[in-house]
Amino acid sequence: AQTVTQSQPEMSVQEAETVTLSCTYDTSENNYYLFWYKQPPSRQMILVIRQEAYKQQNATENRFSVNFQKAAKSFSLKISDSQLGDTAMYFCAFGGRGSTLGRLYFGRGTQLTVWP
Amino acid sequence: DTAVSQTPKYLVTQMGNDKSIKCEQNLGHDTMYWYKQDSKKFLKIMFSYNNKELIINETVPNRFSPKSPDKAHLNLHINSLELGDSAVYFCASSQVLSGGGYNEQFFGPGTRLTVL
């Protein structure tokens, strides 16, 4: 079974600073996708960034970037120049392409608070 | 122009009642999902339909019955509601790509179900 672990239940950062959220996963599949979703107080699940396992280059989306270490099964999210609107619960998710195609497995989330 | 919509957004009901949650997507996707987010914010997949066919049915009590009248709609009917059914239910959709991959899942706004 696929498992996703987020070891930091809560984190806080000052506005304009950089913060890194950790995620590790366990799978026997070789080809898969990894995602970071954010869930602000509005409850809406919003995709932040995605990474395809066969791509060695780390994905970036504006202030958001990932450090994907396939051998270590690690997928951390770096948020640069943090903004108050980044305050949200962040979920790491694994999506397989083999027998688990169609399922997203989520970590338990990291609550990020950005302070002014 | 809402991509994935759910109705209602809030649902408060008594134990033992039967209720339905509706979901519609206008993204042209062929796969739709139901997730349950518990009080600790853990997200877990319940069901998935691809082109109106059930493809994922996790360990969910048979009081929960999904129905997909067409690939743009996926409804969730719950019989004999119990206290433990209180949660936020998210609908999502994605497009399965040729070659076995799929694009990211787009989530609806969620339905907060409270069983009294």
Side-chain angles (χ1 to χ4, degrees), chain B residues 67-106:
Chain B
K67 280 192 172 51
S68 182
D70 56 61
K71 71 176 191 177
H73 296 84
L74 180 61
N75 303 324
L76 182 65
H77 188 77
I78 315 170
N79 289 326
S80 302
L81 278 155
E82 299 177 358
L83 293 177
D85 297 333
S86 295
V88 179
Y89 292 85
F90 283 97
C91 176
S93 73
S94 70
Q95 180 66 34
V96 178
L97 305 172
S98 59
Y102 58 95
N103 67 0
E104 60 268 24
Q105 294 185 18
F106 293 80

Short mmCIF file of all heavy atoms in Angstrom, two decimals, chain B residues 67-106:
data_model
loop_
_atom_site.label_atom_id
_atom_site.label_comp_id
_atom_site.label_asym_id
_atom_site.label_seq_id
_atom_site.Cartn_x
_atom_site.Cartn_y
_atom_site.Cartn_z
N LYS B 67 -23.77 7.33 -7.49
CA LYS B 67 -24.48 7.11 -8.76
C LYS B 67 -23.97 8.13 -9.76
O LYS B 67 -23.88 9.32 -9.45
CB LYS B 67 -25.99 7.28 -8.57
CG LYS B 67 -26.66 6.06 -7.97
CD LYS B 67 -28.16 6.12 -8.04
CE LYS B 67 -28.81 4.82 -7.61
NZ LYS B 67 -28.34 4.33 -6.32
N SER B 68 -23.68 7.65 -10.96
CA SER B 68 -23.18 8.53 -12.01
C SER B 68 -24.11 8.46 -13.20
O SER B 68 -23.97 7.56 -14.04
CB SER B 68 -21.76 8.12 -12.40
OG SER B 68 -21.24 8.99 -13.37
N PRO B 69 -25.04 9.40 -13.33
CA PRO B 69 -25.97 9.36 -14.47
C PRO B 69 -25.28 9.64 -15.80
O PRO B 69 -25.73 9.16 -16.84
CB PRO B 69 -26.99 10.46 -14.12
CG PRO B 69 -26.30 11.34 -13.14
CD PRO B 69 -25.32 10.50 -12.40
N ASP B 70 -24.22 10.43 -15.76
CA ASP B 70 -23.40 10.68 -16.94
C ASP B 70 -22.03 11.09 -16.47
O ASP B 70 -21.82 11.30 -15.26
CB ASP B 70 -24.03 11.75 -17.86
CG ASP B 70 -24.29 13.05 -17.12
OD1 ASP B 70 -23.32 13.66 -16.63
OD2 ASP B 70 -25.48 13.45 -17.03
N LYS B 71 -21.08 11.24 -17.38
CA LYS B 71 -19.70 11.42 -16.91
C LYS B 71 -19.46 12.80 -16.31
O LYS B 71 -18.41 13.04 -15.73
CB LYS B 71 -18.71 11.12 -18.02
CG LYS B 71 -18.64 12.11 -19.14
CD LYS B 71 -17.52 11.71 -20.11
CE LYS B 71 -17.25 12.82 -21.10
NZ LYS B 71 -16.12 12.50 -22.00
N ALA B 72 -20.41 13.70 -16.41
CA ALA B 72 -20.26 15.02 -15.81
C ALA B 72 -20.85 15.10 -14.40
O ALA B 72 -20.71 16.12 -13.73
CB ALA B 72 -20.91 16.08 -16.69
N HIS B 73 -21.53 14.06 -13.97
CA HIS B 73 -22.22 14.08 -12.68
C HIS B 73 -21.88 12.84 -11.86
O HIS B 73 -21.83 11.73 -12.39
CB HIS B 73 -23.74 14.14 -12.86
CG HIS B 73 -24.21 15.41 -13.52
ND1 HIS B 73 -24.23 15.56 -14.89
CD2 HIS B 73 -24.66 16.57 -12.98
CE1 HIS B 73 -24.69 16.78 -15.17
NE2 HIS B 73 -24.96 17.41 -14.04
N LEU B 74 -21.68 13.06 -10.57
CA LEU B 74 -21.48 11.95 -9.64
C LEU B 74 -22.13 12.33 -8.33
O LEU B 74 -21.72 13.29 -7.69
CB LEU B 74 -20.00 11.65 -9.43
CG LEU B 74 -19.68 10.50 -8.46
CD1 LEU B 74 -20.27 9.19 -8.98
CD2 LEU B 74 -18.19 10.35 -8.25
N ASN B 75 -23.18 11.60 -7.97
CA ASN B 75 -23.91 11.90 -6.75
C ASN B 75 -23.58 10.86 -5.68
O ASN B 75 -23.17 9.74 -5.98
CB ASN B 75 -25.42 11.90 -7.04
CG ASN B 75 -25.77 12.89 -8.15
OD1 ASN B 75 -25.17 13.97 -8.24
ND2 ASN B 75 -26.72 12.54 -8.99
N LEU B 76 -23.77 11.27 -4.44
CA LEU B 76 -23.50 10.37 -3.31
C LEU B 76 -24.74 10.33 -2.44
O LEU B 76 -25.18 11.36 -1.94
CB LEU B 76 -22.31 10.87 -2.50
CG LEU B 76 -21.88 10.00 -1.31
CD1 LEU B 76 -21.38 8.64 -1.80
CD2 LEU B 76 -20.80 10.70 -0.50
N HIS B 77 -25.31 9.15 -2.29
CA HIS B 77 -26.48 8.98 -1.44
C HIS B 77 -26.07 8.21 -0.19
O HIS B 77 -25.34 7.21 -0.29
CB HIS B 77 -27.58 8.22 -2.19
CG HIS B 77 -28.87 8.18 -1.44
ND1 HIS B 77 -29.72 9.25 -1.37
CD2 HIS B 77 -29.43 7.18 -0.71
CE1 HIS B 77 -30.77 8.92 -0.62
NE2 HIS B 77 -30.62 7.69 -0.22
N ILE B 78 -26.53 8.70 0.95
CA ILE B 78 -26.17 8.06 2.21
C ILE B 78 -27.45 7.69 2.95
O ILE B 78 -28.29 8.56 3.23
CB ILE B 78 -25.32 8.99 3.11
CG1 ILE B 78 -24.21 9.68 2.31
CG2 ILE B 78 -24.70 8.17 4.26
CD1 ILE B 78 -23.49 10.77 3.04
N ASN B 79 -27.60 6.41 3.24
CA ASN B 79 -28.77 5.92 3.98
C ASN B 79 -28.46 5.82 5.47
O ASN B 79 -27.30 5.63 5.88
CB ASN B 79 -29.16 4.52 3.49
CG ASN B 79 -29.76 4.54 2.11
OD1 ASN B 79 -30.45 5.50 1.74
ND2 ASN B 79 -29.50 3.51 1.34
N SER B 80 -29.49 5.94 6.27
CA SER B 80 -29.39 5.68 7.72
C SER B 80 -28.17 6.36 8.32
O SER B 80 -27.29 5.71 8.89
CB SER B 80 -29.32 4.17 7.97
OG SER B 80 -30.44 3.53 7.42
N LEU B 81 -28.13 7.67 8.20
CA LEU B 81 -26.96 8.43 8.64
C LEU B 81 -26.61 8.18 10.10
O LEU B 81 -27.49 8.05 10.96
CB LEU B 81 -27.20 9.92 8.39
CG LEU B 81 -26.91 10.33 6.95
CD1 LEU B 81 -27.68 11.58 6.57
CD2 LEU B 81 -25.41 10.54 6.77
N GLU B 82 -25.31 8.10 10.36
CA GLU B 82 -24.79 7.87 11.71
C GLU B 82 -23.93 9.06 12.12
O GLU B 82 -23.44 9.82 11.26
CB GLU B 82 -23.95 6.59 11.74
CG GLU B 82 -24.73 5.35 11.36
CD GLU B 82 -23.85 4.10 11.34
OE1 GLU B 82 -22.63 4.22 11.57
OE2 GLU B 82 -24.41 3.01 11.09
N LEU B 83 -23.70 9.19 13.43
CA LEU B 83 -22.89 10.30 13.93
C LEU B 83 -21.51 10.33 13.27
O LEU B 83 -20.97 11.39 12.94
CB LEU B 83 -22.73 10.20 15.45
CG LEU B 83 -23.99 10.39 16.29
CD1 LEU B 83 -23.67 10.17 17.77
CD2 LEU B 83 -24.58 11.77 16.07
N GLY B 84 -20.94 9.13 13.08
CA GLY B 84 -19.60 9.03 12.50
C GLY B 84 -19.50 9.44 11.05
O GLY B 84 -18.40 9.54 10.49
N ASP B 85 -20.65 9.68 10.41
CA ASP B 85 -20.63 10.13 9.02
C ASP B 85 -20.36 11.63 8.92
O ASP B 85 -20.13 12.15 7.83
CB ASP B 85 -21.97 9.83 8.34
CG ASP B 85 -22.26 8.33 8.28
OD1 ASP B 85 -21.29 7.54 8.27
OD2 ASP B 85 -23.45 7.95 8.26
N SER B 86 -20.40 12.31 10.05
CA SER B 86 -20.11 13.75 10.05
C SER B 86 -18.69 13.98 9.53
O SER B 86 -17.73 13.42 10.07
CB SER B 86 -20.26 14.34 11.45
OG SER B 86 -21.60 14.27 11.89
N ALA B 87 -18.58 14.79 8.51
CA ALA B 87 -17.29 15.01 7.85
C ALA B 87 -17.51 16.02 6.73
O ALA B 87 -18.64 16.45 6.48
CB ALA B 87 -16.73 13.71 7.26
N VAL B 88 -16.42 16.36 6.05
CA VAL B 88 -16.53 17.13 4.81
C VAL B 88 -16.33 16.16 3.65
O VAL B 88 -15.36 15.39 3.64
CB VAL B 88 -15.49 18.26 4.74
CG1 VAL B 88 -15.63 19.02 3.42
CG2 VAL B 88 -15.68 19.22 5.92
N TYR B 89 -17.23 16.19 2.71
CA TYR B 89 -17.16 15.30 1.55
C TYR B 89 -16.79 16.13 0.32
O TYR B 89 -17.43 17.12 0.00
CB TYR B 89 -18.49 14.57 1.33
CG TYR B 89 -18.78 13.59 2.45
CD1 TYR B 89 -19.39 14.02 3.64
CD2 TYR B 89 -18.41 12.25 2.35
CE1 TYR B 89 -19.61 13.13 4.68
CE2 TYR B 89 -18.63 11.36 3.39
CZ TYR B 89 -19.24 11.81 4.55
OH TYR B 89 -19.46 10.94 5.59
N PHE B 90 -15.72 15.69 -0.33
CA PHE B 90 -15.24 16.39 -1.52
C PHE B 90 -15.47 15.54 -2.76
O PHE B 90 -15.16 14.35 -2.78
CB PHE B 90 -13.74 16.67 -1.43
CG PHE B 90 -13.38 17.81 -0.52
CD1 PHE B 90 -13.00 17.57 0.78
CD2 PHE B 90 -13.42 19.12 -0.98
CE1 PHE B 90 -12.66 18.61 1.63
CE2 PHE B 90 -13.09 20.17 -0.14
CZ PHE B 90 -12.71 19.91 1.17
N CYS B 91 -15.94 16.19 -3.79
CA CYS B 91 -16.00 15.61 -5.11
C CYS B 91 -14.78 16.13 -5.89
O CYS B 91 -14.31 17.26 -5.65
CB CYS B 91 -17.30 16.06 -5.79
SG CYS B 91 -17.49 15.52 -7.48
N ALA B 92 -14.25 15.32 -6.78
CA ALA B 92 -13.12 15.74 -7.60
C ALA B 92 -13.26 15.12 -8.98
O ALA B 92 -14.01 14.15 -9.17
CB ALA B 92 -11.79 15.33 -6.96
N SER B 93 -12.54 15.69 -9.94
CA SER B 93 -12.54 15.09 -11.27
C SER B 93 -11.15 15.18 -11.88
O SER B 93 -10.33 16.01 -11.47
CB SER B 93 -13.56 15.78 -12.18
OG SER B 93 -13.09 17.06 -12.57
N SER B 94 -10.89 14.29 -12.82
CA SER B 94 -9.62 14.32 -13.56
C SER B 94 -9.82 13.66 -14.91
O SER B 94 -10.85 13.04 -15.16
CB SER B 94 -8.50 13.63 -12.78
OG SER B 94 -8.72 12.24 -12.73
N GLN B 95 -8.84 13.78 -15.75
CA GLN B 95 -8.89 13.18 -17.07
C GLN B 95 -7.81 12.12 -17.15
O GLN B 95 -6.62 12.42 -17.00
CB GLN B 95 -8.66 14.24 -18.15
CG GLN B 95 -8.69 13.71 -19.56
CD GLN B 95 -10.05 13.18 -19.96
OE1 GLN B 95 -11.09 13.69 -19.55
NE2 GLN B 95 -10.05 12.11 -20.73
N VAL B 96 -8.20 10.88 -17.39
CA VAL B 96 -7.22 9.83 -17.59
C VAL B 96 -6.62 10.00 -18.97
O VAL B 96 -7.34 10.14 -19.96
CB VAL B 96 -7.86 8.44 -17.45
CG1 VAL B 96 -6.81 7.36 -17.71
CG2 VAL B 96 -8.44 8.27 -16.06
N LEU B 97 -5.30 10.03 -19.04
CA LEU B 97 -4.61 10.27 -20.29
C LEU B 97 -4.24 8.95 -20.98
O LEU B 97 -4.11 7.92 -20.32
CB LEU B 97 -3.35 11.09 -20.04
CG LEU B 97 -3.56 12.41 -19.31
CD1 LEU B 97 -2.21 13.03 -18.95
CD2 LEU B 97 -4.37 13.38 -20.16
N SER B 98 -4.05 9.02 -22.25
CA SER B 98 -3.58 7.82 -22.96
C SER B 98 -2.17 7.52 -22.46
O SER B 98 -1.40 8.41 -22.14
CB SER B 98 -3.55 8.08 -24.46
OG SER B 98 -2.72 9.16 -24.76
N GLY B 99 -1.83 6.28 -22.35
CA GLY B 99 -0.53 5.91 -21.82
C GLY B 99 -0.55 5.62 -20.34
O GLY B 99 0.47 5.25 -19.75
N GLY B 100 -1.72 5.79 -19.72
CA GLY B 100 -1.86 5.39 -18.33
C GLY B 100 -1.71 6.49 -17.31
O GLY B 100 -1.85 6.28 -16.14
N GLY B 101 -1.38 7.67 -17.76
CA GLY B 101 -1.27 8.77 -16.80
C GLY B 101 -2.58 9.51 -16.68
O GLY B 101 -3.58 9.17 -17.30
N TYR B 102 -2.60 10.50 -15.86
CA TYR B 102 -3.80 11.33 -15.74
C TYR B 102 -3.36 12.70 -15.27
O TYR B 102 -2.31 12.87 -14.67
CB TYR B 102 -4.81 10.74 -14.77
CG TYR B 102 -4.28 10.52 -13.37
CD1 TYR B 102 -4.47 11.48 -12.39
CD2 TYR B 102 -3.60 9.37 -13.04
CE1 TYR B 102 -3.97 11.30 -11.11
CE2 TYR B 102 -3.10 9.18 -11.77
CZ TYR B 102 -3.30 10.14 -10.81
OH TYR B 102 -2.80 9.95 -9.55
N ASN B 103 -4.19 13.67 -15.55
CA ASN B 103 -3.85 15.00 -15.05
C ASN B 103 -4.29 15.12 -13.60
O ASN B 103 -4.84 14.18 -13.03
CB ASN B 103 -4.46 16.10 -15.94
CG ASN B 103 -5.98 16.14 -15.88
OD1 ASN B 103 -6.61 15.35 -15.17
ND2 ASN B 103 -6.57 17.06 -16.60
N GLU B 104 -4.00 16.25 -13.03
CA GLU B 104 -4.30 16.40 -11.60
C GLU B 104 -5.79 16.38 -11.35
O GLU B 104 -6.59 16.61 -12.24
CB GLU B 104 -3.69 17.70 -11.06
CG GLU B 104 -4.20 18.95 -11.74
CD GLU B 104 -3.31 19.35 -12.91
OE1 GLU B 104 -2.61 18.47 -13.46
OE2 GLU B 104 -3.34 20.53 -13.28
N GLN B 105 -6.16 16.11 -10.12
CA GLN B 105 -7.56 16.11 -9.73
C GLN B 105 -7.97 17.51 -9.29
O GLN B 105 -7.25 18.17 -8.55
CB GLN B 105 -7.79 15.10 -8.60
CG GLN B 105 -7.55 13.66 -9.07
CD GLN B 105 -7.88 12.62 -8.04
OE1 GLN B 105 -8.59 12.86 -7.07
NE2 GLN B 105 -7.35 11.40 -8.23
N PHE B 106 -9.12 17.92 -9.79
CA PHE B 106 -9.69 19.21 -9.45
C PHE B 106 -10.83 18.97 -8.47
O PHE B 106 -11.71 18.13 -8.71
CB PHE B 106 -10.21 19.92 -10.71
CG PHE B 106 -9.12 20.31 -11.66
CD1 PHE B 106 -8.56 19.38 -12.53
CD2 PHE B 106 -8.64 21.61 -11.67
CE1 PHE B 106 -7.54 19.74 -13.40
CE2 PHE B 106 -7.62 21.97 -12.55
CZ PHE B 106 -7.07 21.03 -13.40
#
